[in-house]
């Protein structure tokens, strides 16, 4: 008994001692405030509490360090001031080329680079997603914009000039989609000057070389009610302010927007924001393929909506008569009809007259609308036009930046959704927005906080579960089956009667009273309900919630838009939709509500996120007033607690962020085992397989055992330590753990494995290169040797042929030369003999040969023999030792002397056959102006006589004295 009484006291004493020691650790950690800003990773904080985490974030925010790692996510504090150096192209390049980006300062570029390298490493799941979350005004839109710039910069290939032009075009269009989407989808709210009033998921698609090839955009739930209604101190969409402030004088005249005019749907137009730049939007639209004429058409429609908002109705004197236009708004009605290309009478009738089809015979009745109904129909017309225009713009952008699925293999997704909102008055829009944030928070909880801990326990790792805030009850309240707020809303919309907000409130309270997340503001006179979200309680008003969920569109409004002559409205509202519009009201069960559409699109988004590797960026708003460098601890603390940052830090510090299945691990890193070990393992695997068959064991178990032994071998070779086995115990400093089906490790071990794998692959690649180069060199040497042999054979054959041809030609020339020389000798001898015979005749007598012609065969014409006879003599007696130009000069000189000095005389016999005679008529000595005579015997025996005989005379005459003439 005493032990039982003292047991609780002892336990309380131990608990108090633990609390005191823990508080002492916290105080000791916070005592050195000068070093708190050095903790760039909150997992290094010891102990991890909301106080220590908050102090570290505040210290870093004070010294302009706005990014801090928090385990599996990145915490981003909004500085509320321009910090250009944090997002410069040089910094992008620095993070991209760094060997270990995680060693640099925490930054959104480090997260982006990590996702890009994950795609390059092809570790399943290859596709990546970055989820940017936070409250409205925390900086999500800016973060997404910077991430897109980073990917557009680092994923652009540098191959060729033409290729660069293509990538720059895609990159430019992807980036230009931001200003267009923000102009038409963002607005100034109480909490943010550039608040996204829609959600978007952007897929940046990469090819096999991991280069940016295309992109696609999915949007969720545009807040189209903002076109016709703006809360106090809030503004309409940015595009309306851009056209009223940035239009030229000619455009104002064409769009009927006089300067200084007031529009009911354009409140707070006097405030000037950075988002009001009209030229940026127009240039971006042009780069996306929207030409100037189409832009002009879009802006005319938007101007028509502004004039449509100025239309006001007054109650008629007779209820059976339609409402009348106020006199001051008749001009606005005419302007709206002219800008929308709709006849004023048709437009006015569609706003004031309601058509009712009843009975089996489909009888048509027309009933005047009340003033409230007319204004509702006016607002509905504006909302449906703007919603269709926004959808069309998204379609045009996707057509401009999207490529065929065969052109890309992987993608990196960027999710930018509206942040958590809680305004003084909240309705269906805020309910859907906060529901989307609840789904994202549940994805974070299920992926990190819950799934990891359950997986550790299933894999046999000893793990003490960490408590965390689970928002599953809140999601069950909103979307659960069979009863939830969404299901009750949809059921109320299907009823063929007007909704009663009081009765609807009672139904919600009775049906969902068991859920602790539901309550009601009892002090409010308006019907409402309160939901306890993960980020806080929000009170929603039931007024008009059911009508907004129905989102009714009167058939008359669709018909008048289909009859418009405006080309843009004809695209937005084709005539083919008329039949569908007439069928919908007849089948009440087929009505698709707003929450049903939004829930379906959000579930599809969650399927995409679950199939990718998620990365979280938590944007934190330091203060609600958007003041620069102002850190309010209470507001930051509530955001940290709401998104579960502290629990995520604790789990990340104690757990293993990297988890790879055994099969994937062995397939990827099997090249890291030693060669001898691999052969042994192969032999062991075969022997174990046969042994298992003999013993009756399953081969699957042996395969798992072999895979585990292979994992241990790889880890031992790489990191030099054995992984903790599946014993249920985990050492404090163990960085690797081999579970039942997966290998758990910290990031440092994964980096070592990847680095070693890269080294081995480089070695193998180098070996392959060496073998290939050796093969190429040997092949080249063999080809050269073969070419040399072929060339030698061909040259030998050519030389032999040439020699044979030259030899034959030499024979022919020799034979011809000898024959000609013999003929010339015979002719010369015959003439000399004839000259000797006539030398004793009377001078001056004509030489007539009485002898018959020579017996030599002569086929040449007589005249040719006469003309070429001196040339033959000259060639026959040409000097042999002289060659080249000197020989030619001698021959020419000889011929010239014979021709000019009339040294020979031709006498022919006209009355008989005979040989032409040539007589040399020397007149003194014959001299040539050469150092040597061109004739062979010219300088052999020189004579000093004044009338010495040289040249032809010595050849023709064999005496010293000249013949008498």
């Amino acid at each position: 008994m005493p032990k039982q009484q003292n047991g609780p006291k002892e336990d309380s004493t131990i608990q108090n001692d633990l609390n005191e020691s823990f508080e002492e650790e916290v105080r000791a950690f916070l005592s050195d405030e000068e070093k708190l800003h050095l903790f760039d990773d909150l997992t290094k904080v010891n102990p991890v509490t909301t106080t220590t985490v908050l102090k570290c974030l505040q210290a870093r925010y004070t010294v302009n360090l706005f990014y801090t790692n928090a385990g599996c996510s990145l915490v981003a504090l909004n500085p509320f001031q321009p910090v250009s150096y944090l997002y410069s192209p040089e910094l992008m390049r620095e993070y991209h080329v760094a060997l270990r980006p995680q060693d640099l300062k925490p930054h959104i570029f480090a997260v982006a680079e990590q996702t890009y390298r994950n795609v390059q490493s092809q570790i399943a799941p290859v596709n990546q997603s970055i989820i940017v979350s936070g409250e409205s005004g925390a900086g999500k839109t800016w973060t997404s914009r910077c991430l897109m710039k980073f990917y557009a910069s680092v994923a652009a290939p540098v191959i060729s000039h033409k290729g660069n032009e293509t990538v720059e075009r895609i990159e430019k269009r992807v980036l230009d989609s931001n200003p267009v989407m923000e102009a038409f989808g963002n607005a100034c709210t109480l909490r943010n000057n550039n608040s996204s009033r829609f959600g978007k998921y952007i897929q940046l698609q990469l090819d096999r070389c991991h280069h940016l090839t295309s992109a696609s955009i999915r949007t969720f739930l545009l807040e189209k009610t903002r076109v016709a209604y703006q809360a106090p101190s809030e503004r309409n969409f940015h595009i309306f302010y851009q056209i009223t402030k940035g239009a030229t004088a000619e455009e104002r005249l064409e769009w009927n927007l006089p300067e200084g005019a007031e529009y009911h749907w354009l409140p707070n137009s006097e405030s000037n924001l950075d988002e009001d730049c009209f030229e940026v939007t127009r240039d971006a639209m042009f780069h996306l393929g929207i030409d100037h004429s189409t832009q002009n058409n879009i802006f005319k429609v938007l101007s028509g909506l502004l004039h449509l908002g100025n239309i006001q109705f007054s109650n008629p004197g007779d209820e059976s008569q339609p409402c009348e236009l106020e006199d001051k708004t008749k001009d606005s009605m005419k302007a709206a009809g002219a800008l929308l290309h709709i006849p004023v009478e048709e437009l006015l009738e569609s706003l004031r007259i309601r058509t009712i089809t009843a009975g089996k015979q489909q009888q048509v009745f027309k009933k005047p609308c009340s003033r409230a109904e007319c204004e509702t129909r006016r607002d509905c017309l504006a909302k449906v036009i703007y919603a269709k225009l926004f959808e069309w713009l998204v379609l045009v952008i996707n057509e401009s930046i999207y490529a065929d699925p065969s052109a890309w293999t992987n993608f990196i997704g960027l999710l930018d959704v509206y942040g958590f909102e809680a305004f003084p008055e909240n309705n269906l829009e805020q309910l859907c927005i906060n529901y989307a944030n609840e789904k994202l928070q549940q994805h974070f909880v299920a992926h990190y906080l819950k799934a990891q801990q359950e997986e550790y326990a299933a894999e046999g790792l000893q793990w003490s579960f960490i408590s965390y805030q689970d928002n599953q009850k809140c999601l069950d309240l909103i979307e659960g089956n069979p009863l939830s707020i969404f299901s009750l809303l949809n059921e109320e919309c299907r009823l063929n009667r007007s909704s009663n907000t009081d009765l609807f409130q009672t139904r919600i309270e009775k049906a969902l009273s068991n859920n602790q997340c539901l309550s009601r503001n009892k002090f409010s006179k308006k019907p409402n309900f309160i939901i306890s979200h993960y980020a806080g309680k929000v009170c929603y008003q039931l007024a008009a919630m059911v009508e907004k969920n129905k989102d009714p569109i009167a058939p008359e409004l669709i018909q008048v838009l289909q009859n418009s002559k405006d080309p843009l409205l004809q695209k937005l509202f084709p005539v083919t939709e008329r039949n569908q519009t007439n069928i919908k009201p007849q089948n009440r069960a087929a009505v698709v509500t707003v929450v049903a559409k939004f829930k379906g699109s959000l579930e599809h988004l969650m399927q995409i996120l679950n199939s990718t590797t998620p990365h979280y960026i938590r944007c934190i708003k330091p203060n609600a007033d958007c003041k620069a460098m102002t850190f309010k601890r209470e507001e930051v603390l509530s955001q940290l607690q709401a998104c579960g940052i502290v629990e995520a830090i604790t789990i990340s510090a104690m757990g293993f962020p990297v988890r790879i299945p055994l099969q994937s691990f062995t397939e990827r890193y099997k090249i890291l085992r030693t060669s001898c070990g691999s052969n042994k393992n192969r032999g062991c695997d075969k022997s174990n397989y046969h042994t298992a068959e003999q013993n009756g064991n399953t081969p699957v178990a042996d395969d798992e055992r072999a895979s585990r032994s292979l994992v241990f071998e790889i880890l031992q070779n790489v990191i030099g330590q054995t992984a903790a086995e599946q014993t249920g115990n985990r050492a404090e400093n163990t960085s690797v753990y081999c579970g039942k089906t997966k290998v758990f490790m910290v990031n440092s071990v994964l980096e070592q494995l990847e680095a070693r794998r890269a080294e081995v692959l480089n070695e193998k690649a180098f070996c392959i290169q060496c073998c290939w180069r050796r093969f190429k060199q040997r092949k080249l040497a063999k080809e050269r040797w073969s070419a040399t042999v072929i060339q030698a054979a061909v040259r030998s054959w050519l030389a032999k042929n040439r020699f044979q041809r030259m030899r034959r030609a030499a024979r022919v020339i020799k034979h011809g030369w000898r024959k000609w020389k013999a003929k010339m000798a015979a002719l010369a001898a015959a003439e000399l003999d004839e000259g000797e015979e006539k030398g004793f005749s009377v001078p001056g007598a004509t030489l007539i040969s009485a002898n018959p012609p020579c017996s030599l065969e002569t086929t040449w014409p007589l005249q040719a023999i006469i003309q070429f006879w001196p040339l033959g003599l000259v060639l026959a007696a040409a000097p042999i030792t002289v060659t080249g130009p000197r020989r030619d000069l001698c021959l020419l000189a000889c011929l010239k002397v014979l021709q000019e000095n009339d040294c020979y005389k031709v006498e022919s016999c006209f009355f008989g056959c005979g040989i032409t005679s040539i007589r040399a008529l020397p007149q003194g000595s014959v001299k040539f102006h050469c150092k040597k005579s061109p004739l062979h015997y010219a300088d052999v025996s020189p004579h000093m006589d004044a009338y010495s005989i040289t040249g032809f005379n010595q050849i023709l005459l064999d005496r010293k004295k000249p013949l008498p003439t």
Side-chain angles (χ1 to χ4, degrees):
M1 293 295 293
K3 290 182 180 179
Q4 293 178 358
Q5 292 177 356
N6 295 334
K9 293 182 180 179
E10 292 177 359
D11 294 341
S12 61
T13 303
I14 294 173
Q15 186 68 29
N16 292 333
D17 293 339
L18 291 175
N19 292 337
E20 290 178 1
S21 62
F22 185 75
E23 291 177 0
E24 289 180 0
E25 291 180 2
V26 173
R27 285 194 296 267
F29 177 80
L30 298 177
S31 60
D32 195 358
E33 295 184 358
E34 295 180 356
K35 296 182 179 180
L36 292 179
H37 69 278
L38 300 177
F39 288 91
D40 55 0
D41 192 347
L42 296 178
T43 57
K44 301 176 182 178
V45 175
N46 189 18
V48 179
T49 64
T50 54
T51 305
T52 55
V53 170
L54 187 64
K55 276 287 187 180
C56 290
L57 291 177
Q58 185 176 7
R60 293 179 61 81
Y61 189 77
T62 306
V63 294
N64 294 332
L65 296 175
F66 308 110
Y67 296 107
T68 308
N69 289 325
C72 57
S73 59
L74 177 72
V75 177
L77 295 170
N78 193 342
F80 292 117
Q81 63 180 356
V83 190
S84 58
Y85 65 88
L86 272 181
Y87 312 100
S88 62
E90 294 78 12
L91 194 62
M92 295 182 189
R93 181 69 178 171
E94 180 181 353
Y95 278 88
H96 180 57
V97 301
L99 295 177
R100 291 170 50 89
Q102 59 271 21
D103 291 343
L104 301 177
K105 293 181 180 180
H107 203 284
I108 57 175
F109 294 159
V111 178
E113 180 62 24
Q114 184 62 44
T115 59
Y116 188 66
R117 295 190 181 186
N118 288 352
V119 173
Q120 291 178 325
S121 64
Q122 294 291 301
I123 298 178
V126 181
N127 296 328
Q128 309 287 310
S129 290
I130 298 180
I131 302 172
V132 185
S133 60
E135 292 189 0
S136 179
K140 300 183 299 299
T141 301
W142 174 260
T143 300
S144 300
R145 192 186 308 169
C146 293
L147 289 173
M148 291 180 64
K149 289 182 180 179
F150 178 85
Y151 288 121
S153 174
V154 303
V158 185
I159 300 176
S160 63
H161 183 68
K162 184 177 180 180
N164 283 339
E165 287 181 354
T166 305
V167 172
E168 286 176 3
R169 179 181 62 83
I170 296 173
E171 168 194 342
K172 181 67 175 174
R173 293 192 176 192
V174 170
L175 294 179
D176 282 337
S177 65
N178 274 330
V180 176
M181 300 293 287
E182 290 181 13
F184 285 85
N186 288 22
C188 177
T189 63
L190 292 174
R191 308 186 67 180
N192 187 7
N193 289 339
N194 190 28
S195 177
S196 298
R197 309 318 302 163
F198 70 103
K200 63 179 176 181
Y201 182 71
I202 304 174
Q203 277 189 359
L204 303 177
Q205 296 154 354
L206 309 175
D207 59 9
R208 295 183 182 274
C209 299
H210 313 117
H211 296 150
L212 180 64
T213 58
S214 58
S216 66
I217 300 176
R218 292 175 57 90
T219 59
F220 310 96
L221 191 66
L222 174 71
E223 189 188 10
K224 58 184 179 181
T225 56
R226 184 169 291 271
V227 177
Y229 172 76
Q230 304 82 33
S233 301
E234 292 191 357
R235 300 205 318 174
N236 208 327
F237 292 105
H238 293 321
I239 188 63
F240 291 105
Y241 298 90
Q242 291 180 4
I243 62 175
T244 55
K245 295 181 180 181
T248 62
E250 296 178 357
E251 291 171 342
R252 288 180 181 277
L253 184 61
E254 183 179 1
W255 303 340
N256 201 350
L257 294 175
E259 193 169 357
E262 294 183 359
Y263 303 95
H264 294 291
W265 289 351
L266 211 63
N268 303 314
S269 59
E270 66 279 357
S271 59
N272 294 319
L273 302 178
D274 296 336
E275 291 76 17
D276 292 343
C277 186
F278 190 37
E279 290 300 323
V280 175
T281 304
R282 300 186 73 166
D283 293 342
M285 294 175 70
F286 182 76
H287 292 151
L288 290 170
I290 305 175
D291 55 16
H292 294 295
S293 61
T294 307
Q295 291 183 31
N296 186 57
N297 201 354
I298 293 172
F299 301 141
K300 285 177 66 176
V301 171
L302 295 177
S303 302
L305 296 185
L306 289 179
H307 286 284
L308 193 64
N310 284 346
I311 298 175
Q312 299 294 329
F313 297 94
S314 59
N315 292 321
D318 186 0
E319 293 182 358
S320 62
Q321 298 297 323
C323 295
E324 306 225 349
L325 275 175
E326 294 185 0
D327 294 337
K328 60 181 180 180
T329 62
K330 290 182 179 180
D331 294 338
S332 298
M333 174 61 76
K334 293 179 181 178
L339 292 170
L340 299 177
H341 292 275
I342 300 174
V344 178
E345 295 77 10
E346 294 184 11
L347 179 60
L348 190 58
E349 182 180 357
S350 65
L351 296 178
R352 299 189 303 175
I353 306 298
R354 181 174 59 180
T355 303
I356 302 175
T357 304
K360 296 182 180 179
Q361 298 179 357
Q362 296 293 314
Q363 295 181 355
V364 179
F365 302 94
K366 291 188 177 181
K367 179 183 177 181
C369 298
S370 63
R371 178 181 177 183
E373 290 176 343
C374 291
E375 293 177 352
T376 301
R377 292 166 77 90
R378 175 202 62 195
D379 297 346
C380 182
L381 181 64
K383 289 188 293 184
V384 70
I385 291 176
Y386 194 83
K388 286 287 187 179
L389 176 60
F390 187 80
E391 292 176 3
W392 178 80
L393 278 174
V394 175
L395 180 63
V396 170
I397 293 173
N398 280 329
E399 290 177 353
S400 176
I401 63 179
Y402 187 68
D404 190 79
S406 60
W408 55 273
T409 56
N410 304 113
F411 66 86
I412 298 175
L414 301 178
L415 179 61
D416 176 21
V417 296
Y418 10 57
F420 185 83
E421 293 183 349
F423 296 118
E425 291 187 1
N426 304 282
N427 211 290
L428 184 66
E429 296 82 10
Q430 283 68 40
L431 178 61
C432 293
I433 289 172
N434 294 337
Y435 163 66
N437 284 271
E438 288 284 353
K439 291 289 286 186
L440 294 178
Q441 177 64 18
Q442 195 243 3
H443 178 267
F444 175 76
V445 169
H447 189 269
Y448 283 107
L449 305 183
K450 182 179 180 180
Q452 284 193 18
Q453 298 191 85
E454 292 179 353
E455 188 177 24
Y456 292 154
E459 291 289 332
L461 177 62
Q462 186 178 5
W463 181 264
S464 57
F465 278 80
I466 299 171
S467 61
Y468 54 89
Q469 181 182 357
D470 193 354
N471 64 336
Q472 187 60 46
K473 291 183 178 180
C474 183
L475 284 173
D476 293 339
L477 173 66
I478 298 175
E479 64 168 2
N481 286 321
L483 292 177
S484 63
I485 293 178
F486 279 178
S487 64
L488 294 175
L489 264 175
N490 293 334
E491 184 179 350
E492 190 74 14
C493 293
R494 295 190 186 99
L495 298 177
N496 191 10
R497 59 174 175 79
S498 59
S499 176
N500 189 324
T501 55
D502 294 326
L503 294 177
F504 185 51
Q505 179 184 4
T506 305
R507 287 189 62 196
I508 292 176
E509 290 178 353
K510 287 183 179 180
L512 306 173
S513 59
N514 295 330
N515 197 306
Q516 299 177 356
C517 296
L518 180 67
S519 60
R520 178 172 66 91
N521 185 7
K522 298 180 181 179
F523 300 99
S524 177
K525 296 181 181 180
K526 299 178 180 179
N528 65 86
F529 62 91
I530 297 176
I531 298 179
S532 297
H533 292 282
Y534 75 95
K537 294 183 178 182
V538 180
C539 181
Y540 300 95
Q541 279 71 38
L542 287 172
M545 183 175 287
V546 176
E547 290 298 320
K548 288 183 178 181
N549 190 35
K550 290 180 181 178
D551 194 19
I553 302 175
E556 301 86 9
L557 301 180
I558 299 296
Q559 185 176 358
V560 76
L561 291 174
Q562 290 175 344
N563 295 334
S564 172
K565 303 301 181 182
D566 185 77
L568 179 60
L569 292 179
Q570 290 177 354
K571 292 181 182 178
L572 301 181
F573 302 94
V575 182
T576 54
E577 292 186 359
R578 182 180 302 174
N579 296 332
Q580 299 176 2
T581 309
N582 295 333
I583 292 173
K584 283 182 181 179
Q586 299 175 8
N587 191 0
R588 296 282 179 179
V591 175
V592 181
T593 60
V594 172
V595 296
K597 288 187 204 175
F598 185 66
K599 183 181 177 182
S601 60
L602 201 57
E603 287 177 352
H604 179 67
L605 172 64
M606 300 310 296
Q607 292 177 0
I608 297 176
L609 295 180
N610 291 330
S611 65
T612 62
T613 301
H615 303 264
Y616 279 88
I617 298 178
R618 295 289 190 177
C619 297
I620 302 296
K621 192 174 183 180
N623 61 86
D625 301 328
C626 302
K627 293 183 180 179
M629 303 309 296
T630 302
F631 191 93
K632 293 186 178 181
R633 300 183 57 185
E634 295 79 8
E635 297 181 7
V636 175
L637 180 60
S638 63
Q639 297 176 60
L640 292 177
Q641 292 175 343
C643 60
I645 287 292
V646 178
E647 293 83 357
I649 294 170
T650 305
I651 295 175
S652 299
M654 297 177 60
F656 299 100
V658 181
R659 302 174 298 279
I660 304 176
L662 289 175
Q663 183 178 0
S664 300
F665 185 90
T666 54
E667 289 179 357
R668 184 170 181 81
Y669 301 111
K670 62 184 177 182
I671 62 175
L672 302 183
R673 59 181 178 178
T674 57
S675 59
C676 59
S678 62
N679 296 330
K680 291 180 181 179
N681 288 336
R682 290 174 186 173
C684 293
D685 292 344
K686 293 180 181 179
S687 62
N688 291 337
Y689 184 83
H690 294 297
T691 304
E693 287 183 345
Q694 295 174 1
N695 298 334
N697 298 330
T698 59
V700 177
D702 292 335
D703 291 341
E704 293 180 356
R705 191 179 301 108
S707 299
R708 289 171 59 82
S709 62
L710 182 58
V711 169
F712 292 144
E713 179 188 354
I714 293 172
L715 294 174
Q716 180 65 30
N717 293 335
V718 175
I719 64 177
Q721 72 178 46
T722 305
E725 296 185 0
Q726 182 197 342
T727 58
N729 297 323
R730 177 194 173 193
E732 293 182 359
N733 297 326
T734 301
S735 56
V736 186
Y737 178 81
C738 186
K740 295 179 180 179
T741 61
K742 292 184 179 181
V743 180
F744 299 85
M745 66 187 73
V746 296
N747 288 321
S748 59
V749 175
L750 179 64
E751 292 168 5
Q752 294 181 23
L753 289 171
E754 289 295 323
R756 180 57 186 158
R757 181 174 180 271
E759 292 178 3
V760 173
L761 289 177
N762 288 335
E763 293 174 1
K764 303 298 182 184
F766 180 73
C767 180
I768 294 173
Q769 288 176 354
C770 292
C771 295
W772 175 251
R773 289 170 180 170
R774 181 168 60 250
F775 168 76
K776 293 289 288 184
Q777 289 295 329
R778 288 179 178 177
K779 183 178 179 182
L780 182 60
K782 188 175 181 180
E783 290 177 351
R784 287 179 176 175
W785 179 82
S786 302
T788 304
V789 172
I790 295 172
Q791 288 176 357
V794 172
R795 288 172 181 170
S796 175
W797 179 80
L798 292 175
K800 187 176 180 180
N801 267 1
R802 184 170 178 272
F803 176 75
Q804 291 176 355
R805 288 197 306 269
M806 291 177 67
R807 193 170 185 177
R808 288 194 297 266
R811 286 200 204 101
V812 173
I813 294 172
K814 185 177 179 181
H815 178 72
W817 169 254
R818 287 177 178 175
K819 185 177 181 181
W820 179 80
K821 189 174 181 181
K823 288 182 180 181
M824 293 301 103
L827 291 173
E831 187 170 352
L832 289 175
D833 293 341
E834 185 181 358
E836 291 178 355
E837 293 177 359
K838 295 297 180 178
F840 302 97
S841 60
V842 181
T846 303
L847 176 62
I848 301 174
S849 176
N851 297 328
C854 182
S855 62
L856 296 173
E857 273 182 26
T858 305
T859 59
W860 286 19
L862 180 63
Q863 191 67 22
I865 295 175
I866 295 173
Q867 292 180 358
F868 288 102
W869 170 243
L871 178 60
L873 293 178
V874 172
L875 292 174
I880 299 175
T881 59
V882 181
T883 60
R886 292 181 61 188
R887 178 183 175 89
D888 298 339
L889 183 61
C890 294
L891 295 175
L892 292 175
C894 209
L895 292 174
K896 188 176 181 180
V897 169
L898 293 175
Q899 184 178 5
E900 290 180 355
N901 296 335
D902 196 15
C903 296
Y904 63 91
K905 182 177 180 181
V906 179
E907 295 180 0
S908 61
C909 180
F910 298 100
F911 303 101
C913 297
I915 300 175
T916 302
S917 63
I918 300 178
R919 292 289 183 227
L921 303 175
Q923 297 178 0
S925 61
V926 179
K927 298 181 180 180
F928 295 98
H929 300 281
C930 299
K931 291 183 179 181
K932 293 182 180 181
S933 173
L935 301 180
H936 182 63
Y937 300 101
D939 299 326
V940 175
S941 301
H943 299 277
M944 302 304 295
D945 300 340
Y947 296 96
S948 62
I949 302 171
T950 59
F952 284 105
N953 296 316
Q954 189 165 345
I955 296 173
L956 300 175
L957 303 174
D958 194 13
R959 56 175 62 96
K960 295 184 179 180
K961 295 182 181 180
L963 293 174
T965 57

